[in-house]
Amino acid sequence: MSAIAPRPDGAPTVGATILIVEDEPAIATAIAQRLTAEGWRTEVARDGLSGVDAASRLRPDAVVLDVMLPGIDGLEVCRRIQAERPVPVLMLTARDDETDMLIGLGVGADDYMTKPFSMRELVARLKALLRRVDRAAQASASPANEAEPPMTIGDVVIDQAQRRVHRAGKEIHLTPTEFELLVMLASSPKTVQTRERLLAEVWDWADASGTRTVDSHIKALRRKLGADLIRTVHGVGYAFEPPADH
């Protein structure tokens, strides 16, 4: 990943490289112009195969990726990009279909937005993605974190230093966002965390309009870890529930 410089005010990253994979010229141009105005470097790929090639060549800090693309679709692009090198991916979808969103999260996307979207929200989501990557890098490099033993709750083992998760001895591959969401829930077992708090702490996104993002990521976590570990508190949020036999 290219070097990213933090701003003096603590706002995330000047000089990040963002790859935009979008076949609609007007949308691609508008995104590139807005992100360039934020101080980021951008490159646009117009189809799936070009996007995979550009990701390999550029090694971007984040990818904005449309689901519907000529050639290979965005889901396959995401699979190929993540197989070569983990990178935060924000997927764009024209359909407000939660199944599509869950599939996107399942192939390694960290977040998604439904078209049409506001550029302000797109920028906020990308800043949050870059902040999470920066936090993860700092945590991994921290000597204190290296000395911290893995968190073991029942048959779930969460190693924050290695950013790895196992359940019943089997490694579970999580995206950076899923990992941070799990850590926050598991750090306070049986304690209900509101959607708004999860959104603010994990996504750095304070707008309550994004709470559906939390719900979709919870569903993706349940698919990977098992539905029994995360309890829904209707109208409030979620709680981590240790396995029943522990």
Side-chain angles (χ1 to χ4, degrees), residues 7-43:
R7 280 192 229 182
D9 61 1
T13 66
V14 168
T17 297
I18 313 294
L19 173 62
I20 303 159
V21 189
E22 169 62 69
D23 65 316
E24 296 184 47
I27 294 176
T29 299
I31 293 173
Q33 289 177 343
R34 179 58 187 268
L35 301 189
T36 299
E38 291 291 324
W40 296 330
R41 295 185 294 270
T42 64
E43 183 167 320

Side-chain angles (χ1 to χ4, degrees), residues 102-221:
L102 286 171
I103 293 171
L105 297 175
V107 298
D110 283 272
D111 206 350
Y112 64 84
M113 295 181 65
T114 303
K115 297 177 180 177
F117 53 83
S118 75
M119 287 295 173
R120 171 184 164 275
E121 182 171 355
L122 177 70
V123 168
R125 296 287 185 97
L126 281 171
K127 286 180 177 179
L129 277 178
L130 293 171
R131 274 196 295 266
R132 293 203 298 279
V133 170
D134 187 52
R135 283 204 305 263
Q138 290 179 4
S140 295
S142 168
N145 195 50
E146 290 176 8
E148 184 176 339
M151 184 189 312
T152 301
I153 307 173
D155 61 357
V156 179
V157 180
I158 304 170
D159 188 333
Q160 295 189 65
Q162 298 285 329
R163 294 185 71 83
R164 301 174 82 172
V165 177
H166 291 77
R167 182 166 195 194
K170 178 183 177 182
E171 183 166 7
I172 310 295
H173 296 281
L174 302 182
T175 68
T177 304
E178 289 168 349
F179 183 85
E180 291 202 13
L181 181 58
L182 177 63
V183 167
M184 184 171 177
L185 289 167
S187 295
S188 302
K190 297 184 179 292
T191 300
V192 179
Q193 306 283 356
T194 67
R195 290 175 175 84
E196 291 75 16
R197 184 174 181 217
L198 291 170
L199 195 65
E201 294 291 332
V202 176
W203 279 265
D204 292 322
W205 180 243
D207 191 327
S209 66
T211 52
R212 190 175 173 194
T213 296
V214 178
D215 297 341
S216 294
H217 277 79
I218 290 288
K219 288 184 178 180
L221 262 183

Side-chain angles (χ1 to χ4, degrees), residues 61-81:
D61 297 294
V63 179
V64 178
L65 175 61
D66 190 22
V67 172
M68 302 299 294
L69 292 168
I72 59 174
D73 67 16
L75 299 174
E76 180 60 25
V77 172
C78 189
R79 286 189 191 96
R80 295 189 188 186
I81 289 175

Side-chain angles (χ1 to χ4, degrees), residues 79-100:
R79 286 189 191 96
R80 295 189 188 186
I81 289 175
Q82 298 292 0
E84 179 176 338
R85 165 180 164 268
V87 59
V89 173
L90 172 61
M91 297 200 84
L92 305 177
T93 175
R95 296 191 298 180
D96 191 15
D97 186 329
E98 191 167 59
T99 300
D100 287 352

